Amino acid sequence: MIYTVGELSKATGVPASTIRYYDSQGLLPQVERSSGGMRVFDDRSYQALQVLGCLKESGLSIKEMKEFIELVEEGDDSLGKRLELFRSRRDAMREQMKKMESFLQILDFKVWYYETALQAGTESKMASLSDEDVPAELREAWKRLNH
């Protein structure tokens, strides 16, 4: 399929300005121009944007994404390096997700805490919480906050 910048932006959810920037940085494969000078993208560009978005969200800089594109352009000789990059990003994301889950548990506990205090009309009741007072799914966060 062939896309204009606007169509590719709509299809991927990536702002047109980001697509233009990525193209100017050489991050999109073989972008061509129409006879009128407009950028014309294909399915490779669509796929590249999906991968670049993943790499960006996993913490890679533009410079590191350029290095990845250079590895892709090397072909099969760089398969091992590309595999290691994705393993590394995957492991980093898993670690980040564990941390985020921990933070989410604390937020869940605090929501319950303040809802309960609000229903009681006072926070003073919350000062003497025991394990049994805290819902089972929130006890781990409560313990981390209090021990």
Side-chain angles (χ1 to χ4, degrees):
M1 187 165 181
I2 302 298
Y3 304 91
T4 64
V5 171
E7 291 168 340
L8 188 58
S9 174
K10 187 175 181 180
T12 61
V14 176
S17 59
T18 300
I19 295 171
R20 287 186 195 96
Y21 178 72
Y22 283 0
D23 179 38
S24 74
Q25 297 300 305
L27 296 174
L28 296 175
Q30 305 163 351
V31 174
E32 297 182 18
R33 299 254 179 191
S34 70
S35 58
M38 290 179 48
R39 290 176 178 94
V40 179
F41 301 91
D42 60 17
D43 289 333
R44 290 176 300 169
S45 299
Y46 178 92
Q47 292 168 353
L49 275 175
Q50 299 300 319
V51 172
L52 291 170
C54 172
L55 291 173
K56 178 183 175 189
E57 291 300 319
S58 75
L60 253 60
S61 67
I62 294 293
K63 179 183 176 199
E64 291 167 317
M65 289 191 289
K66 282 183 187 181
E67 291 169 1
F68 166 71
I69 294 299
E70 290 170 5
L71 289 173
V72 171
E73 290 173 354
E74 286 178 20
D76 290 347
D77 290 342
S78 69
L79 285 172
K81 290 179 183 176
R82 288 183 272 162
L83 173 60
E84 187 53 40
L85 170 72
F86 280 91
R87 281 182 175 159
S88 170
R89 297 316 320 144
R90 179 192 62 191
D91 294 346
M93 288 294 296
R94 284 183 175 154
E95 190 60 35
Q96 186 177 2
M97 289 171 67
K98 285 180 190 174
K99 289 178 184 176
M100 296 303 289
E101 182 63 34
S102 174
F103 296 147
L104 182 58
Q105 289 172 350
I106 290 171
L107 291 172
D108 285 342
F109 170 77
K110 285 304 211 178
V111 166
W112 171 83
Y113 175 95
Y114 287 114
E115 286 174 346
T116 303
L118 192 59
Q119 287 174 349
T122 180
E123 189 175 3
S124 63
K125 175 188 175 209
M126 307 307 287
S128 60
L129 287 176
S130 68
D131 276 353
E132 296 78 32
D133 296 326
V134 177
E137 67 274 12
L138 302 175
R139 285 183 191 145
E140 183 180 327
W142 177 72
K143 288 177 183 177
R144 273 187 297 176
L145 288 171
N146 292 292
H147 298 290

